[in-house]
Structure formats: C-alpha cells, structure tokens
Amino acid sequence: ACTYFIQVEHNGCVVTSEEYYYGATAKKINSLEISPNPTKGRVKVRFHNPKNQYVYLHLMNNNGVRLDNYLTKSTELDIDISRYPSGIYYLYFDSRNACRKYAISWPG
C-alpha cells in the first residue's frame, strides 16, 4: 500500500504526522448507517473506515445547496440539523471515486 506522511522541521525540532493513504490505495468506505431517520434534529452517522482515513461529508438541502461540511477520521459522526427548516436533507460522501447520497428526513 502506498502511504505518505507530513514532516515539518522548525528550529531543530522535527514533527511527523501520522501515516495517510493515497487515494488510489485507499480502502473503500462503506456500510453507512444514519439513525434515527426520520430525526428529531440530531442524527448519528456510522460507517466502516478500516484504514482510519479522512472522510469528507456534505450536508445538502433539497435544492442542492451545501449547508455544512464534515471532515472526520472516526467511524461515527453526530450531526445536528435542528437549526435548518423541516424537510429532506441529503448527506453526500466521497469514497474512492464514487459519490454516495443518503436522505435524512427532519422533523421525525
């Protein structure tokens, strides 16, 4: 597997980041679950992230307007959509050259 890390040297101190995977060798993110759906305002998003890689998610409204972005390396994410009007919202995420879309209904 091809990996890389970031190394910074400043005033004789060297700091090295954790190891990251190149997109071409990244493991596919899958098994995405959103609950509860419909929601009362907060949803928990869970997915399989075996290589602990960064996942970028976008919350969009029914008109395709991006409302929020989330970047995580975790396998869980809590999202609060209670500040938005009632309706259907979509959660998009990128996973190895494939974009997936999931609908969230608010309020429940």
Side-chain angles (χ1 to χ4, degrees), residues 83-101:
R83 64 181 174 209
Y84 303 113
S86 297
I88 304 293
Y89 293 88
Y90 298 94
L91 188 62
Y92 288 85
F93 77 103
D94 295 323
S95 173
R96 199 170 183 187
N97 301 323
C99 187
R100 307 227 188 326
K101 174 176 80 171

Side-chain angles (χ1 to χ4, degrees), residues 18-21 49-54 72-75:
E18 60 192 287
E19 194 172 59
Y20 302 105
Y21 290 89
N49 189 2
K51 287 190 175 181
N52 199 34
Q53 60 203 25
Y54 282 102
T72 184
K73 286 180 56 180
S74 178
T75 58

Side-chain angles (χ1 to χ4, degrees), residues 38-73:
T39 181
K40 299 275 188 221
R42 294 189 75 82
V43 292
K44 182 173 287 283
V45 180
R46 293 182 185 100
F47 48 88
H48 188 63
N49 189 2
K51 287 190 175 181
N52 199 34
Q53 60 203 25
Y54 282 102
V55 178
Y56 195 44
L57 300 106
H58 315 281
L59 180 67
M60 302 180 86
N61 69 13
N62 210 24
N63 296 324
V65 175
R66 187 178 300 173
L67 303 172
D68 215 336
N69 299 305
Y70 307 94
L71 181 66
T72 184
K73 286 180 56 180

